[in-house]
Amino acid sequence: MASFVDRVVLHVSGGTGGHGCVSVKREKFKPLGGPDGGNGGDGGDVILRVDPQTTTLLDYHHAPHRHATNGGNGMGDWRGGKNGETLILPVPDGTVVKAKDGTVLADLVGEGAEFVAAAGGQGGLGNSSLSSQKRKAPGFALLGIPGDERDVVLELKSIADIALVGFPSAGKSSLIAAMSAARPKIADYPFTTLVPNLGVVEAGSTRFTIADVPGLIEGASEGKGLGHHFLRHVERCAALVHVLDTAALETDRDPLGDLAVIERELDKYAVDMSFAGSDGEVVPLNERPRLVVLNKVDVPDGRDMAAMVRPELEARGYRVFEVSASSHEGLRQLGFAMAEIVQAARDAVKAAPPKVAPPVLRPRAVNSAGFRIRNEEKDALPLFRVLGEKPERWVKQTDFTNDEAVGYLADRLAKLGVEEQLFKAGAKPGDTVVIGEGDGVVFDWEPTMMGGAELLAGPRGTDLRLAEYVRPTREQKREEYQERKDAKAAARAELEADRKAGIWTESVNNKAKRAAAPADNAGDQA
């Protein structure tokens, strides 16, 4: 089972805001004391925070889905819902937070550094907060908004001053064990080191950290081996130390050839732009200060090889140290050389003030509507999509089972100017309008729906503009049709009777005579 993980994909979601409450105050002798529905609580945030006790991302490898607590719903008597608890996720120092497309969102360095990975949703307003002089007793409340939900990539990039690079079994782990209190796994076979190792070294008054990565081999930039995958752990380092094996058993290897292979792989590695210096520039790995360590000089063949290649390395401008991790030969001089480079890098950082971009305030333009309308087409029919922070948020807050809440949404959209912009965009009655991306909220636009729901009399929770008209069934249509046929037949029979009686006009006198005829006939019969 994995014990060290330095890259995970984390699925985070903030808590959903609680719904507002619809309630009316009822007391003795005060049957309608006014609305008293409380607001819903806000959902909790998901925050990534640097914890010095955390050294790996293993917990998030096993449980990558994290969700904050939802907010509580509002209650009557003006009682607000409880806010959701913030979910704190501890991460190691040096964790880089990226989006799925590789965009750097945060570089968490230093104890207590934090980043809000997913914000909680806003709680809905209760009917007491929605009441006004014109809408004294709202029969609806706003719903809570779901929290942010997204996937973030966490990459652990160790905080080290010196990086040890070299071929497998070059002695990097042994060097760290000899110079510090670190105890990495050491064995006599390649790729013993499977995870980066950190060690703290003290040389004089300077204390610094060194790190090694799994050995680099030729083709590492193309995905071969393990080293290139872990090179992110040396991106923060001030200097690189090439550890060359002078006692390699392979006949086709030599220190100069190993150095050339490692240099080519470092040239192909692109350093993340998030590690730019105070001047905004990123120094590639192969352009940083470098030292060369000829290791394993305690072996006779190793000492002879070191004496052979040292002049060539010094001629190339490298500072060369002959050391032995086994006998500790040359380690003191190497430690002071590392401390000199680290101290120079720290002094340069202090001397150069950090380049801070001045804050830019961008107030909303006077003629900005806060939304936009995009013309689209679906099934060869026009479709108008309304995009904007306010309309999309208002839709999420609306309870579409409540007519008054839908009317309130219509009033807000009309006040924002959505209807006017739809007219300008060429929308016609009956056209499809969608609010938000994707499926969104779809409705057939009717421009006759005007604002002013508070001026429409009706029961609480209803809106006369949204009154439903029941469509007659097929059976009802048949009955109505039969009734019309019967009425027409009766009218035709009546006209035929008048024609036989010699009545050809419908004057008032004729109508009176026809009405009196049954009475005269009844008297004659008597």
Side-chain angles (χ1 to χ4, degrees):
M1 185 177 70
S3 60
F4 178 85
V5 176
D6 66 343
R7 185 183 187 278
V8 296
V9 178
L10 191 62
H11 313 276
V12 293
S13 56
T16 302
H19 302 326
C21 176
V22 180
S23 176
V24 176
K25 186 69 174 178
R26 300 182 184 275
E27 294 181 353
K28 190 176 182 180
F29 306 118
K30 293 182 180 179
L32 295 177
D36 66 343
N39 301 334
D42 296 335
D45 300 334
V46 179
I47 297 179
L48 304 175
R49 180 178 296 172
V50 174
D51 183 359
Q53 303 301 321
T54 304
T55 59
T56 179
L57 302 173
L58 182 62
D59 291 344
Y60 309 123
H61 173 71
H62 294 303
H65 296 269
R66 300 301 175 101
H67 179 74
T69 307
N70 297 332
N73 296 330
M75 295 170 284
D77 201 15
W78 298 283
R79 292 176 295 173
K82 181 181 179 182
N83 292 333
E85 296 182 2
T86 300
L87 178 60
I88 304 295
L89 301 180
V91 296
D93 193 3
T95 301
V96 178
V97 186
K98 295 183 178 180
K100 292 297 289 292
D101 59 356
T103 304
V104 177
L105 303 177
D107 186 8
L108 303 179
V109 177
E111 181 179 356
E114 61 182 32
F115 170 72
V116 180
Q122 179 182 355
L125 298 178
N127 65 340
S128 62
S129 299
L130 297 173
S131 62
S132 63
Q133 290 294 331
K134 295 181 179 179
R135 185 186 290 106
K136 296 184 180 296
F140 68 99
L142 299 185
L143 304 180
I145 300 176
D148 294 341
E149 183 176 357
R150 62 178 174 178
D151 298 339
V152 294
V153 179
L154 304 184
E155 291 185 355
L156 175 58
K157 301 188 178 184
S158 304
I159 307 296
D161 300 300
I162 300 293
L164 305 182
V165 295
F167 264 67
S169 298
K172 301 183 296 298
S173 299
S174 300
L175 202 61
I176 285 184
M179 299 182 67
S180 67
R183 293 296 176 263
K185 181 181 179 180
I186 300 174
D188 58 351
Y189 55 86
F191 296 110
T192 305
T193 302
L194 298 178
V195 299
N197 298 310
L198 287 176
V200 179
V201 180
E202 188 168 358
S205 60
T206 304
R207 176 177 293 183
F208 57 94
T209 59
I210 57 178
D212 78 314
V213 296
L216 289 171
I217 61 175
E218 188 171 5
S221 60
E222 300 172 358
K224 297 181 180 179
L226 299 174
H228 188 266
H229 175 67
F230 288 101
L231 271 179
R232 66 171 68 98
H233 293 275
V234 304
E235 289 184 345
R236 304 180 191 271
C237 299
L240 300 178
V241 175
H242 288 280
V243 181
L244 304 180
D245 187 359
T246 60
L249 300 178
E250 293 85 350
T251 56
D252 58 342
R253 282 182 51 196
D254 63 88
L256 295 179
D258 292 352
L259 179 62
V261 171
I262 301 302
E263 289 284 356
R264 285 197 298 269
E265 297 304 323
L266 293 178
D267 289 342
K268 298 176 183 178
Y269 186 81
V271 181
D272 200 324
M273 288 299 296
S274 61
F275 303 103
S278 58
D279 56 354
E281 299 293 332
V282 177
V283 180
L285 294 181
N286 60 342
E287 295 183 9
R288 301 182 187 185
R290 286 167 291 178
L291 303 177
V292 174
V293 171
L294 299 175
N295 195 19
K296 302 180 182 180
V297 297
D298 55 312
V299 180
D301 293 342
R303 190 176 297 277
D304 295 340
M305 179 63 73
M308 185 183 305
V309 301
R310 179 165 186 164
E312 176 66 23
L313 294 173
E314 291 179 343
R316 297 181 183 180
Y318 293 107
R319 293 181 62 184
V320 184
F321 297 86
E322 298 180 12
V323 304
S324 171
S326 177
S327 63
H328 291 203
E329 177 183 348
L331 296 185
R332 179 177 176 82
Q333 295 82 350
L334 176 61
F336 277 100
M338 293 179 179
E340 180 182 348
I341 296 176
V342 172
Q343 191 60 46
R346 293 175 180 175
D347 294 341
V349 172
K350 293 180 181 179
K355 184 178 179 180
V356 180
V360 179
L361 301 180
R362 294 184 175 89
R364 196 184 72 175
V366 177
N367 58 349
S368 175
F371 67 95
R372 60 190 178 92
I373 296 177
R374 188 171 66 202
N375 292 17
E376 299 180 5
E377 185 176 303
K378 183 177 181 181
D379 299 333
L381 296 176
L383 183 145
F384 299 87
R385 190 178 299 275
V386 181
L387 301 174
E389 188 271 333
K390 284 186 177 180
E392 296 180 27
R393 173 164 52 87
W394 292 347
V395 165
K396 295 177 182 178
Q397 292 177 327
T398 302
D399 178 12
F400 286 94
T401 62
N402 187 301
D403 290 346
E404 190 177 354
V406 178
Y408 179 68
L409 172 64
D411 294 341
R412 300 174 88 178
L413 294 176
K415 185 176 181 180
L416 188 62
V418 173
E419 184 168 312
E420 181 180 356
Q421 293 298 324
L422 285 172
F423 268 120
K424 293 181 179 179
K428 299 178 181 178
D431 287 345
T432 302
V433 176
V434 182
I435 299 180
E437 292 285 3
D439 294 338
V441 177
V442 184
F443 61 92
D444 295 334
W445 185 53
E446 293 294 342
T448 56
M449 183 179 291
M450 305 299 294
E454 65 277 0
L455 302 178
L456 299 173
R460 292 175 58 249
T462 61
D463 192 311
L464 298 181
R465 298 171 298 169
L466 302 175
E468 295 185 2
Y469 298 96
V470 180
R471 184 178 179 180
T473 63
R474 185 172 298 178
E475 185 64 28
Q476 291 174 338
K477 290 183 178 180
R478 289 199 188 101
E479 293 178 357
E480 293 176 358
Y481 176 69
Q482 189 63 37
E483 290 177 358
R484 289 196 298 271
K485 286 180 61 178
D486 295 342
K488 290 181 179 179
R492 285 196 295 269
E494 184 179 0
L495 292 175
E496 182 64 21
D498 291 343
R499 186 183 67 79
K500 292 180 178 180
I503 302 175
W504 296 96
T505 60
E506 285 293 320
S507 63
V508 177
N509 295 332
N510 291 336
K511 289 183 179 180
K513 291 179 180 180
R514 189 173 56 181
D520 296 340
N521 295 335
D524 295 339
Q525 294 176 1

